């Protein structure tokens, strides 16, 4: 099994993350997002709109999944993480992950009430590479 450091480095190299939430009927809903702005231990921080369907779904049901992949010329590798997602509106974390170009999405700046942070905490995962899959618990990785 790869190390936690390997998994985090792999995630940091990707340009897109696929985020899955659960809707009110219990069905998975997935969307592509920019990769995490901050990674801390088993937690991954994303920015989004407070009014978004995804943020609303996470407020009602925190179960989540995040998928990252790299399709090389001869090799495909994917890592799926499952865990929980929190919707954070705390000014300190919003300021910490804020980026200059964010005013394109949040006109009122870092204090825009429609700007929030999604904090995903991974519990376990599954990695696919070279026609093999392996499951892992995040807390058991070195």
């Amino acid at each position: 099994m790869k190390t936690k450091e390997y998994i985090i480095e792999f995630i940091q190299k990707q340009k897109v993350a696929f985020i899955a939430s659960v809707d009110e009927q219990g069905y998975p809903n997935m969307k592509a997002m920019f990769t995490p702005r901050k990674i801390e231990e088993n937690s991954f921080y994303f920015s989004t709109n407070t009014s978004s369907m995804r943020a609303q779904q996470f407020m009602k049901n925190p179960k989540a999944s995040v998928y990252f992949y790299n399709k090389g010329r001869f090799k495909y590798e994917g890592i799926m993480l499952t865990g929980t997602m929190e919707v954070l509106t705390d000014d300190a974390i919003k300021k910490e992950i804020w980026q200059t170009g964010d005013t394109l999405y949040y006109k009122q700046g870092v204090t825009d009430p429609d700007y929030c942070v999604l904090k995903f905490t991974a519990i376990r995962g599954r990695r696919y590479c070279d026609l093999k899959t392996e499951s892992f618990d995040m807390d058991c990785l070195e």
Side-chain angles (χ1 to χ4, degrees):
M1 178 68 236
K2 297 292 184 182
T3 63
K4 189 181 294 191
E5 180 180 332
Y6 174 88
I7 290 170
I8 289 171
E9 285 178 9
F10 176 84
I11 289 169
Q12 288 173 327
K13 291 177 187 172
Q14 309 318 312
K15 292 179 174 41
V16 176
F18 293 91
I19 310 289
S21 56
V22 180
D23 69 17
E24 291 179 358
Q25 289 78 38
Y27 291 100
N29 288 212
M30 186 167 297
K31 78 176 272 184
M33 291 182 68
F34 293 118
T35 54
R37 299 247 175 118
K38 175 183 174 183
I39 300 174
E40 184 178 71
E41 293 295 320
N42 298 350
S43 296
F44 302 80
Y45 296 79
F46 302 86
S47 67
T48 196
N49 295 84
T50 311
S51 62
S52 71
M53 179 181 79
R54 201 78 50 227
Q56 299 305 307
Q57 288 175 342
F58 288 130
M59 285 183 213
K60 293 175 184 163
N61 184 344
K63 289 183 179 177
S65 178
V66 182
Y67 187 75
F68 304 91
Y69 78 96
N70 181 46
K71 182 183 178 295
R73 190 173 188 156
F74 301 105
K75 180 178 177 179
Y76 178 93
E77 182 173 5
I79 295 177
M80 179 194 67
L81 301 173
T82 56
T84 57
M85 191 77 78
E86 296 172 72
V87 179
L88 307 177
T89 56
D90 177 70
D91 284 343
I93 190 64
K94 287 169 65 171
K95 287 177 185 169
E96 185 177 345
I97 72 162
W98 179 263
Q99 292 178 353
T100 307
D102 286 346
T103 51
L104 179 66
Y105 307 104
Y106 315 107
K107 302 294 182 207
Q108 297 176 42
V110 73
T111 59
D112 192 319
D114 198 34
Y115 166 55
C116 70
V117 174
L118 297 178
K119 178 186 177 186
F120 174 73
T121 303
I123 299 168
R124 64 185 64 88
R126 191 157 172 85
R127 178 177 173 264
Y128 172 87
C129 189
D130 297 327
L131 304 176
K132 296 181 191 115
T133 58
E134 53 190 335
S135 297
F136 55 90
D137 286 329
M138 289 297 288
D139 288 335
C140 295
L141 293 176
E142 295 179 10

